[in-house]
């Protein structure tokens, strides 16, 4: 007699896990980092800095982006990478 597996099988190429956790200051400097997978590269944090941190620093684009809510969203997809982040005082917690 066989029992049904309660956990469904996941596709092998689909990434559901957190690849890394980073503490980044408002300039984009990495203060603390922990990579859980080998696919985390430095250019991924550079994209976070240029697309999210630098965009918040530009007053004109920040006003227009805040109107449509794009800068306030805690999740953003840049290219094929999805970032989850929360700003606490002068640092970002990024996953």
């Amino acid at each position: 007699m066989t029992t049904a597996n309660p956990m469904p099988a996941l596709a092998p190429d689909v990434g559901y896990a957190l690849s890394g956790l980073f503490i980044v200051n408002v300039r984009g400097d990495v203060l603390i980092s922990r990579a859980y997978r080998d696919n985390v590269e430095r250019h991924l944090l550079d994209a976070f800095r240029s697309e999210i941190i630098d965009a918040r620093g530009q007053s004109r684009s920040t006003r227009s982006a805040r109107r449509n809510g794009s800068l306030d969203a805690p999740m953003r997809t840049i290219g094929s990478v999805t970032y989850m982040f929360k700003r606490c005082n002068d640092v970002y917690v990024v996953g």
Side-chain angles (χ1 to χ4, degrees):
M1 182 168 144
T2 60
T3 60
N5 185 358
M7 297 295 291
L10 297 176
D13 293 337
V14 178
Y16 290 106
L18 181 71
S19 295
L21 186 64
F22 306 93
I23 308 295
V24 181
N25 67 11
V26 293
R27 294 183 312 199
D29 301 326
V30 178
L31 304 175
I32 301 171
S33 68
R34 174 67 168 114
Y36 298 105
R37 299 180 65 173
D38 293 334
N39 64 347
V40 179
E41 298 175 5
R42 179 70 187 171
H43 70 87
L44 299 176
L45 284 174
D46 293 337
F48 177 80
R49 177 183 22 222
S50 65
E51 295 289 329
I52 296 172
I53 295 175
D54 292 347
R56 285 178 176 259
Q58 297 172 357
S59 62
R60 189 175 44 195
S61 66
T62 301
R63 277 188 238 122
S64 63
R66 281 195 188 274
R67 276 188 232 124
N68 65 21
S70 64
L71 287 181
D72 293 327
M75 290 182 70
R76 293 269 310 271
T77 300
I78 301 170
S80 63
V81 179
T82 300
Y83 298 89
M84 297 183 303
F85 61 95
K86 174 71 177 161
R87 182 175 176 174
C88 302
N89 295 325
D90 288 339
V91 297
Y92 288 89
V93 178
V94 182

